[in-house]
Amino acid sequence: MKRFIPFLFLLSAPAYADITSSISSSVKLEVSAAATAADRIGNSYSVSGTGVNTTDGTTAGSIGGLGAATNGVNAYTPITASQLTDGESFNYTVSHTTGDTIGTSLTTGEVSAFGDLTSTSGGTATNLAGTVDNHVLTITAGSQGTSATGQYVTTVTVD
């Protein structure tokens, strides 16, 4: 009888398990809005040289430059350079970038005429469609600026 006792425990122990199942389906339709990204180009001025005379037309030795700003654009004073000593080596470099003017009378939807613009038109939902019928997904592509995503998910969990 002692030999059968371990087998009796195995026969009488019930087994329990929780099984959970879920199924979901979805369709996501998106239409992009119109958008513009604008980056303003700023004012800059740089000058370097050796072996040259400079003048702004009035003052000898002037190196020119940027003055007061009006609507985001600095006044610019150009210079003239000439070789300091005939026959001697010289170098001269000047760089000037005029910044973008800041618009003062823009209305909603207008963008300043900045030097770096990226603009996209809004999407149109023409033909864009999606349906879920008994977990069968049907998606129809739309026009420019749209996207459609369908998803079917099945989950089984055993505890």
Side-chain angles (χ1 to χ4, degrees):
M1 183 73 173
K2 290 183 182 183
R3 288 185 287 175
F4 295 111
I5 289 176
F7 292 111
L8 289 175
F9 286 119
L10 290 176
L11 294 175
S12 63
Y16 295 101
D18 291 329
I19 298 175
T20 306
S21 174
S22 69
I23 301 172
S24 66
S25 300
S26 65
V27 172
K28 179 173 79 169
L29 306 174
E30 294 180 318
V31 178
S32 299
T36 299
D39 292 320
R40 182 175 173 263
I41 295 175
N43 299 279
S44 68
Y45 178 77
S46 157
V47 62
S48 66
T50 58
V52 293
N53 286 317
T54 59
T55 181
D56 64 3
T58 305
T59 307
S62 173
I63 58 169
L66 300 176
T70 303
N71 292 335
V73 177
N74 291 93
Y76 170 60
T77 303
I79 60 171
T80 303
S82 59
Q83 188 175 16
L84 184 64
T85 305
D86 289 344
E88 295 286 322
S89 66
F90 72 96
N91 68 53
Y92 173 73
T93 304
V94 65
S95 171
H96 171 243
T97 300
T98 301
D100 293 327
T101 301
I102 299 172
T104 57
S105 62
L106 295 175
T107 59
T108 302
E110 289 184 320
V111 178
S112 288
F114 288 163
D116 185 3
L117 291 174
T118 302
S119 187
T120 57
S121 63
T124 55
T126 306
N127 300 327
L128 180 64
T131 60
V132 177
D133 183 16
N134 198 25
H135 301 295
V136 174
L137 307 176
T138 304
I139 297 175
T140 304
S143 299
Q144 75 279 355
T146 64
S147 69
T149 305
Q151 179 174 289
Y152 179 83
V153 178
T154 302
T155 304
V156 177
T157 305
V158 179
D159 288 332

